Amino acid sequence: MKTPLQAGTLAPEFSLPSTPDQKVSLSELRGKPVVLVFYPADWSPVCSDQLSLYNELKTEFSEFDAQLIGISVDGIWCHLAFSKDRKLHIPLLADFEPKGAVARLYGVYSEKNGESERALFVIDAEGVIRWSYLSPMGINPGADGILKALESITKKEMSGANV
């Protein structure tokens, strides 16, 4: 079993393609919470269900001003077709070449399968991981843990305490 980066760790910087001619960098998203959703593959049943759930809950995530980002080793054209077919409104980033480089940085790349594990990271506005979860590959981790982590960040920010 992999060991994902833990809470309190500064989230590693990355820049990955979101379209053939655009990239998204983690540093661009500083100032608000970010949820990284590493998933094994576009088109797989569990991944489809997981990303569709997050798409449906986009309003709940926006209440925390959180940006959700999906990351897998699939290529950008695969992401674009998958996103269009599933009507997703979540950026999907291609950790394609070098394959799994960002998943490796976060400790969630599976050499055995050649894809990322199913893992979640909630990163605060300063770029620090506040919650991480590694789900069994065949199980949709749902959104409860993400929402609780975002709520915890918000409560601590409102109370003026350090997160």
Side-chain angles (χ1 to χ4, degrees):
M1 196 74 161
K2 297 279 178 198
T3 304
L5 294 179
Q6 298 298 302
T9 306
L10 186 63
E13 173 59 22
F14 61 82
S15 183
L16 291 173
S18 60
T19 70
D21 58 353
Q22 293 179 310
K23 288 188 172 193
V24 172
S25 298
L26 184 61
S27 58
E28 293 170 3
L29 304 173
R30 283 270 164 85
K32 61 182 176 179
V34 176
V35 179
L36 298 183
V37 179
F38 286 91
Y39 64 99
D42 293 341
W43 307 104
S44 74
V46 178
C47 295
S48 294
D49 290 347
Q50 181 183 6
L51 292 170
S52 293
L53 171 67
Y54 299 157
N55 198 55
E56 290 174 26
L57 295 174
K58 197 157 173 37
T59 303
E60 283 82 346
F61 292 122
S62 67
E63 289 175 16
F64 298 101
D65 198 26
Q67 173 66 57
L68 260 81
I69 305 285
I71 301 175
S72 82
V73 299
D74 294 300
I76 196 60
W77 294 109
C78 187
H79 279 336
L80 292 172
F82 176 65
S83 188
K84 182 179 178 184
D85 183 75
R86 304 293 178 185
K87 297 175 178 57
L88 299 176
H89 302 285
I90 301 164
L92 301 180
L93 306 185
D95 193 9
F96 184 70
E97 190 58 45
K99 187 176 183 182
V102 174
R104 284 180 174 89
L105 287 174
Y106 283 78
V108 296
Y109 184 76
S110 170
E111 294 289 343
K112 178 183 172 191
N113 299 329
E115 53 196 24
S116 69
E117 300 280 347
R118 188 175 312 284
L120 303 168
F121 294 88
V122 174
I123 301 166
D124 70 15
E126 286 75 44
V128 176
I129 296 169
R130 293 297 167 197
W131 180 79
S132 64
Y133 178 71
L134 182 63
S135 179
M137 289 290 272
I139 296 177
N140 179 344
D144 290 346
I146 297 169
L147 292 169
K148 285 178 186 170
L150 290 170
E151 188 176 319
S152 173
I153 290 170
T154 302
K155 282 182 181 174
K156 288 179 182 173
E157 286 174 353
M158 290 173 73
S159 71
N162 288 332
V163 182

